């Protein structure tokens, strides 16, 4: 940000660039970590929002992803394991003028911090929660995480994990999240679009980003990133449009409440397919989409849900404003409330 | 407490011929019954009326952990004790002068505390076979003659009289029976010449929406009063004149009320708004309730999903620039430990209130104890020093919670404020302060985009240094939204000055010592310790927290007996007042009475290398005056004069080795 005192006061906000959001700290993620790409997209998106840099706060927990705030030249709080949504809640409730982002990982958000995540989401606090899902504990060097698939062999599961994984998006929709989206670290344009949409959402925006841990869980999301496989294994969600994938050859049709893959042609047209409605207040269809997992189905990417509901921090501050509407309280009056008596 | 001395009798007082009036300096009453009998309610009413009359009052509520334990059982007994006096008193009284027992279970659990010759009022109709069985009485104690020999026993058919009083109002039997507590209160109001009017007003206001219930309670209250007035069961009633308190305007206040009001006051003195987050827990929840109702003072309350979240939200709000507060009790404080450590590392101002209760684990949720001192002192990983302050009485919570806030914002540190269940729920008359007498608390945030020293690096470039310190080792409180001060903080060790991550050995040593020395240096900014009694002598009694009143009373009595004893009561526990070591060195012996196994004693012994003796009680109850007095006498070579009353467990059981 320019601090040149000689420059005339600009009537509008100074134009910021990605560079303005880069801190002076050396980035310490492993080479080729998926986190680099997410950081780069974030630095590109923030300057487009028209919000002064000092109004951003990034809050994170513990894990590789949680180093993120150190690399942003905004206000930042690298906190303790799993608690970022709770810390962010305290910031946002007391300072609704700030845009608060939570950067978290699969272990941070869904294992040690599962409770805080659920409550932040169901309250619909105005937080942008970005969950970097790499399906592994990277910082502690390779134990299975709550999103690791069954059978996953890791240092703590040498014979394969017997722990049923949780789907971050099922969890979010189960907590009635008002904004739910998924993207992939290397899908730069898509990721930018999703982050921008999250930034503009009022209420909790929950974004899962498939992120490759190339050291401890390399290629976990290859099906969603490899050009040769991707057409068959992901389907892009677009509001008001049918779910089509495989280069337009296949689509998703609903058979009762069960999705099925159909080939277009042979009497089946796009009109037979499931049309995506991200604005639907009823979350059941969005939930159904979150249940579609590779390899049985192509996995949906994009905005699953984007609806408006009352926002917790706004409601708290409205109650305070209402209570103060007739003037702020008088402390001497408070001291003297109840039965009083005078001793002479 | 002594109702036998100082009594002046008047026969046939003009307003109540045929009866005798006795004047007493001080009386202890305890109401006890089933937890559904409304004993806390009538106890509070009696307290309010007595306080408003001008007596000095100290209360001790004692209720079961279960909201509704099975009716009539020992586990379900709820009690409310109050001491009202024409003198300056500090305790709720060792022994009870008048006991109101609404059922056999209440009688059984409370009789031991009634002094020999005291007044015992029972609802005789509750002494039926079933209730006697539940209380473990083989035969009714009302029939054996023992009670009428040892006490002034009044068997009152309260159930029938209450039903008669409310007859014609169309109430169900259940509704009618719920008015019994006011009947009992009415009897005691007559007995102690209390003004019914404030309670009548309270009833009319409370039950304004159900006029028949209001009328029933009013009739029950008057019925009880008239019962005392007109029947021959009571021949004497008592008068306790107003106390000579320092002049001024008073109200009654509990510790939790004083804490909540003190927090709002502290925020105002800082010129800032208050953020409070908490998770419901006994006995701290009332602070949340009080503050949630004070939104017009710009208080934001957040009932978090758990204790961890409540503490974490406080860290966030402190970073955001609020006066950030949380309160809990032992089990909750354990859960908050991790985020409190984050507060230590990030050096943000916040206050953590621990309303202590019996532990460990769930312990005794509704009973008092002082066993979290070492938890407050050391209950976090790493070397993580925190200032600790503690209130001495319910009203003192108002003062000390403001001290906690002052220290937090002046020194950029979390501060722990210790109270306990006894202080939190107990009440006393409170000399109402005036806001204009309370000085502002200085809070400063570095302004953005300036060339202040904090913002200029070695090359003269404008760069904010979040861990550059002033002469007191305090770092700046730069809040989000300030242009040019963007910075990152977190739980990882900080590099001195820049606040960037730094794991290097010498930096960690330096930062650990800096945090330690910053907290130690607060000793220069708190009052010196005062002592009541001789400046040098045989024995110093050193106390902290809730036992203040009992210890002060015991020491004064010992001084009246000519013993060489002084009392120092600590309100600042970390750091200690800077003259404490010198004070301790002036007495041959030191006694530390605590409601734990000796936690302050451990700290005092470690810091001052003094062979302090302990008096330790872990019964979920405050000390009694005689328990402290006996030990003072014993340590000074006197034979304990008073015998421990029957039924009082001995404090002789101590830690071995």
């Amino acid at each position: 940000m320019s601090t040149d005192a000689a420059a005339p006061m600009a009537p509008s906000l100074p134009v910021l660039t990605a560079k303005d959001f880069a801190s002076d700290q050396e980035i310490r993620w492993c080479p080729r970590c998926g986190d680099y790409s997410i950081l780069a997209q974030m630095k590109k998106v923030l300057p487009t929002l028209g919000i002064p840099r000092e109004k951003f706060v990034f809050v994170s927990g513990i894990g590789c992803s949680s180093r993120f705030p150190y690399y942003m030249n905004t206000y930042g709080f690298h906190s303790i394991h799993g608690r970022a949504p709770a810390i962010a809640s305290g910031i946002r409730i007391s300072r609704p003028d700030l845009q608060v982002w939570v950067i978290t990982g699969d272990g941070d958000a869904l294992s040690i911090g599962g409770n805080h995540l659920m409550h932040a989401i169901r309250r619909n606090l105005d937080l942008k929660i970005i969950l970097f899902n790499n399906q592994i504990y990277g910082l502690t060097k390779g134990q299975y995480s709550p999103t690791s698939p069954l059978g996953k062999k890791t240092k703590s599961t040498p014979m394969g994990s017997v722990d049923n994984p949780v789907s971050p998006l099922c969890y979010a929709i189960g907590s009635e999240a008002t904004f739910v989206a998924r993207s992939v670290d290397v899908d730069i344009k898509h990721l930018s679009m999703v982050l921008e949409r999250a930034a503009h959402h009022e209420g909790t925006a929950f974004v899962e980003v498939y992120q490759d841990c190339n050291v401890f869980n390399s290629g976990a999301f290859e099906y969603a990133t490899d050009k040769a496989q991707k057409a068959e294994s992901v389907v892009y969600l677009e509001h008001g449009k049918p779910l089509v994938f495989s280069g337009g050859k296949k689509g998703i049709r609903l058979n009762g409440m069960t999705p099925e893959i159909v080939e277009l042609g042979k009497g089946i047209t796009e009109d037979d397919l499931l049309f995506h409605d991200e604005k639907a207040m009823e979350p059941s269809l969005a939930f159904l989409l979150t249940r579609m997992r590779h390899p049985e189905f192509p996995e949906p990417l994009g905005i699953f849900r984007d609806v408006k509901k009352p926002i917790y921090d706004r409601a708290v501050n409205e109650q305070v404003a209402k209570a103060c509407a007739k003037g702020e309280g008088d402390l001497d009056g408070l001291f003297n409330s109840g039965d009083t008596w005078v001793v002479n | 407490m002594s109702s036998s001395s100082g009594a002046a009798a008047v026969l046939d007082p003009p307003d109540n011929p045929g009866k005798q009036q006795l004047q007493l300096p001080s009386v202890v009453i305890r109401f006890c019954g089933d937890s559904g009998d409304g004993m806390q309610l009538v106890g509070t009413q009696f307290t309010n009326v007595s306080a408003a009359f001008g007596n000095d009052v100290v209360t001790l509520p004692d209720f079961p952990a279960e909201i509704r334990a099975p009716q009539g059982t020992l586990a379900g007994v709820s009690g409310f004790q109050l001491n009202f006096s024409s003198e300056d008193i500090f305790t709720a009284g060792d022994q009870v002068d008048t006991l109101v027992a609404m059922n056999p279970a209440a009688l059984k659990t409370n009789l031991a505390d009634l002094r020999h010759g005291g007044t015992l009022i029972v609802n005789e109709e509750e002494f039926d076979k079933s209730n006697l069985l539940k209380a473990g009485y083989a035969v009714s104690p009302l029939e054996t003659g023992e009670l009428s020999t040892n006490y002034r026993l009044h068997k009152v058919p309260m159930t029938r009289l209450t039903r008669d009083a409310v007859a014609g109002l169309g109430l169900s039997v259940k509704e009618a029976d719920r008015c019994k507590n006011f009947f009992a209160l009415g009897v005691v109001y007559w007995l102690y010449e209390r003004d019914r009017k404030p309670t009548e007003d309270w009833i009319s206001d409370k039950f304004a929406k159900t006029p028949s219930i209001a009328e029933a309670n009013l009739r029950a209250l008057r019925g009880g009063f008239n019962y005392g007035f007109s029947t021959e069961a009571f021949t004497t009633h008592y008068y306790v004149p107003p106390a000579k308190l320092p002049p001024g305007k008073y109200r009654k206040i509990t510790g939790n009320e004083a804490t909540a009001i003190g927090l709002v006051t502290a925020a105002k003195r800082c010129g800032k708004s208050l953020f409070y987050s908490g998770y419901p827990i006994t006995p701290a929840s009332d602070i949340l309730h009080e503050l949630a109702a004070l939104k017009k003072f710009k208080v934001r309350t957040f009932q978090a999903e758990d204790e961890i979240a409540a503490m974490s939200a406080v860290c966030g709000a402190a970073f955001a620039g609020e006066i950030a507060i949380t309160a809990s009790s032992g089990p909750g404080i354990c859960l908050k430990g991790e985020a409190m450590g984050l507060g230590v590392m990030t050096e943000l101002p916040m206050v953590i209130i621990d309303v202590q209760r019996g532990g460990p684990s769930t312990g005794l949720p509704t009973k008092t104890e002082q066993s979290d001192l070492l938890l407050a002192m050391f209950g976090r990983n790493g070397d993580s020093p925190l200032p600790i302050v503690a209130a001495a009485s319910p009203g003192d919570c108002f003062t000390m919670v403001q001290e906690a806030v002052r220290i937090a914002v002046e020194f950029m540190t979390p501060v722990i404020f210790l109270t306990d269940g006894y202080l939190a729920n107990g009440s006393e008359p409170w000399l109402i302060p005036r806001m204009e007498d309370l000085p502002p608390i200085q809070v400063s945030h570095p302004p953005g985009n300036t060339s202040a020293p904090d913002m200029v690096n070695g090359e003269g470039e404008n760069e904010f240094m979040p861990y550059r310190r002033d002469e007191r080792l305090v770092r700046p409180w730069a809040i989000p939204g300030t242009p040019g001060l963007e910075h990152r903080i977190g739980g990882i060790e900080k590099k001195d000055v820049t606040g960037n991550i730094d794991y290097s050995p010498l930096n960690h040593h330096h930062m650990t010592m800096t945090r330690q020395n910053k907290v130690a240096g607060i000793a220069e900014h708190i009052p010196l310790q005062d002592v009541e009694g001789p400046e040098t002598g045989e024995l110093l009694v050193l106390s902290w927290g809730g036992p203040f009143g009992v210890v002060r009373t015991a020491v004064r009595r010992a001084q009246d007996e000519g013993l060489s004893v002084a009392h120092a009561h600590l309100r600042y526990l970390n750091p200690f007042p800077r003259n404490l070591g010198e004070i301790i060195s002036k007495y041959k012996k030191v006694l530390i009475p605590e409601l734990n196994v000796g936690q302050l004693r451990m700290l005092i012994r470690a810091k001052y290398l003094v062979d302090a003796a302990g008096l330790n009680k872990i019964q979920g109850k405050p000390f009694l005056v005689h328990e402290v007095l006996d030990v003072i006498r014993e340590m000074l070579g006197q034979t304990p004069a008073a015998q421990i009353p029957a039924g009082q467990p001995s404090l002789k059981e101590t830690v071995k080795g």
Side-chain angles (χ1 to χ4, degrees), chain B residues 229-287:
Chain B
F229 181 86
S230 52
T231 67
E232 289 179 2
F234 294 91
T235 54
T236 308
H237 61 157
Y238 305 92
Y239 176 72
V240 178
K244 288 171 201 69
L245 295 170
K249 194 172 173 192
Y250 284 80
R251 62 174 279 191
K252 188 206 70 168
I253 203 159
T254 68
N256 277 345
E257 284 169 351
T259 299
I261 294 175
L263 286 171
V264 179
T265 307
K268 183 80 179 172
R269 289 174 63 198
C270 293
K272 298 188 75 70
S273 54
L274 186 72
F275 175 88
Y276 179 91
S277 74
Y279 184 76
I281 185 169
T282 303
S285 301
D286 281 340
I287 300 172

Side-chain angles (χ1 to χ4, degrees), chain A residues 74-75 78 95 317 329 341 343, chain B residues 51 248 250 296 300 480 482 488:
Chain A
T74 63
Y75 285 93
H78 174 224
R95 290 288 304 279
N317 283 287
W341 67 96
V343 173
Chain B
Y250 284 80
K296 70 174 176 206
R300 294 179 184 88
T482 317
R488 276 67 53 194

Side-chain angles (χ1 to χ4, degrees), chain A residues 25 54 67 69 73-76 78 83 91 94-95 115-116 119 123 312 317 329 332 334-336 340-341 343, chain B residues 51 247-251 296 300 302 305-306 316 320 322 435 480-482 485 487-491 500 503:
Chain A
Q25 296 298 294
E54 67 271 13
R67 293 298 183 94
N73 190 16
T74 63
Y75 285 93
H78 174 224
R83 318 302 170 210
I91 296 173
S94 48
R95 290 288 304 279
N115 196 31
H116 309 306
H119 290 283
R123 288 184 182 114
Y312 180 88
N317 283 287
D332 283 307
L334 178 63
F335 297 162
N336 284 278
T340 62
W341 67 96
V343 173
Chain B
K249 194 172 173 192
Y250 284 80
R251 62 174 279 191
K296 70 174 176 206
R300 294 179 184 88
F302 176 48
E305 59 269 24
D306 58 30
E322 294 281 287
M435 200 57 207
T482 317
L485 305 191
H487 67 283
R488 276 67 53 194
I489 57 170
N500 291 327
Y503 300 111

Side-chain angles (χ1 to χ4, degrees), chain A residues 108-342:
Chain A
D108 193 54
L110 293 164
S111 198
I112 196 166
N115 196 31
H116 309 306
L117 181 67
M118 171 174 79
H119 290 283
I121 292 175
R122 60 110 182 153
R123 288 184 182 114
N124 200 28
L125 267 148
D126 200 327
L127 303 175
K128 326 296 170 197
I129 303 174
I130 315 299
L131 188 154
F132 297 14
N133 184 5
N134 58 14
Q135 299 186 344
I136 198 80
Y137 282 105
L139 191 70
T140 49
K141 301 185 181 176
Q143 300 82 12
Y144 79 103
S145 91
T147 57
S148 299
L150 267 180
K152 178 82 183 170
K153 288 190 177 175
T154 70
K155 281 181 186 163
S156 57
T157 51
M159 292 174 72
S161 166
V162 293
D163 211 336
N164 279 312
V166 60
S167 155
L169 296 192
C170 292
Y171 187 87
I173 294 203
S175 308
E176 307 268 347
T178 52
F179 182 97
V180 177
R182 180 192 283 144
S183 192
V184 180
D185 53 6
V186 291
D187 196 343
I188 295 173
K189 275 191 181 164
H190 189 262
L191 178 58
S192 290
M193 179 276 289
V194 166
L195 291 178
E196 195 178 330
R197 287 283 305 273
H200 286 294
H201 177 70
E202 294 180 352
T204 303
F206 182 83
V207 178
E208 176 189 26
V209 183
Y210 285 163
Q211 175 248 320
D212 189 48
C213 174
N214 58 314
V215 174
F216 293 105
N217 201 18
S218 185
F221 301 104
E222 205 174 53
Y223 63 89
T225 54
D226 178 51
K227 273 191 184 147
Q229 303 176 49
K230 174 165 133 168
E232 292 299 318
S233 52
V234 302
V235 51
Y236 288 95
L237 300 175
E238 287 184 74
H239 181 57
K241 296 199 176 157
L243 270 69
V244 176
F245 67 106
S246 188
K249 293 199 288 285
K250 295 180 190 168
I252 302 294
R253 184 175 71 178
L254 271 193
N255 181 3
M257 277 302 281
T258 310
E260 57 185 15
I261 298 171
V262 291
E263 289 193 23
L264 290 168
K266 298 173 195 168
I268 297 176
T269 69
E270 286 196 348
D271 286 346
D272 297 314
L273 301 181
L274 171 59
F275 277 67
H276 181 49
D277 179 10
E278 65 187 32
K279 305 289 178 193
M281 289 306 289
E282 163 54 45
S284 299
L285 266 180
F287 186 73
L288 182 144
L289 294 175
T290 66
R291 303 285 300 160
M292 288 170 51
R293 301 313 299 255
H294 177 77
E296 291 78 18
F297 287 101
E299 288 191 356
L301 296 177
I303 318 295
F304 288 64
R305 180 168 156 84
D306 180 6
V307 299
K308 277 193 166 30
K309 278 192 172 182
I311 297 166
Y312 180 88
D313 44 274
R314 199 173 284 175
V316 167
N317 283 287
E318 278 167 4
Q319 285 192 344
V320 171
K322 195 178 165 193
C324 295
K326 287 176 189 166
E328 232 186 280
D330 163 40
L331 270 169
D332 283 307
L334 178 63
F335 297 162
N336 284 278
S337 57
D339 292 335
T340 62
W341 67 96
V342 174

Side-chain angles (χ1 to χ4, degrees), chain B residues 535-602:
Chain B
E535 278 179 26
T536 61
E538 292 294 318
L539 176 66
L540 176 71
V541 185
L542 190 60
S543 60
W544 69 280
F548 164 74
V550 172
V551 176
R552 180 57 49 104
T553 307
V555 169
R556 280 191 183 171
R557 291 208 192 146
Q559 288 167 346
D560 289 346
E561 291 173 12
L563 300 179
S564 171
V565 55
H567 180 207
H569 185 83
L570 291 167
R571 296 152 91 210
Y572 298 84
L573 292 153
N574 192 39
F576 288 127
R578 58 191 186 280
N579 60 334
L580 183 60
E582 194 193 335
I583 290 172
I584 288 174
S585 71
K586 289 183 174 162
Y587 301 87
K588 287 182 189 158
K589 292 178 177 176
V590 177
L591 170 66
I592 303 180
E594 291 176 273
L595 302 174
N596 59 45
V597 299
Q599 299 195 4
L600 176 65
R601 184 163 51 120
M602 182 183 282

Side-chain angles (χ1 to χ4, degrees), chain B residues 47 130 134 412 531 594-595 599 624:
Chain B
T47 306
S130 147
K134 282 188 225 169
M412 289 291 285
V531 177
E594 291 176 273
L595 302 174
Q599 299 195 4
L624 300 175

Side-chain angles (χ1 to χ4, degrees), chain B residues 357-369:
Chain B
R357 70 188 211 189
S361 188
T362 309
L364 290 77
T366 60
K367 311 293 179 190
T368 198
E369 207 162 278

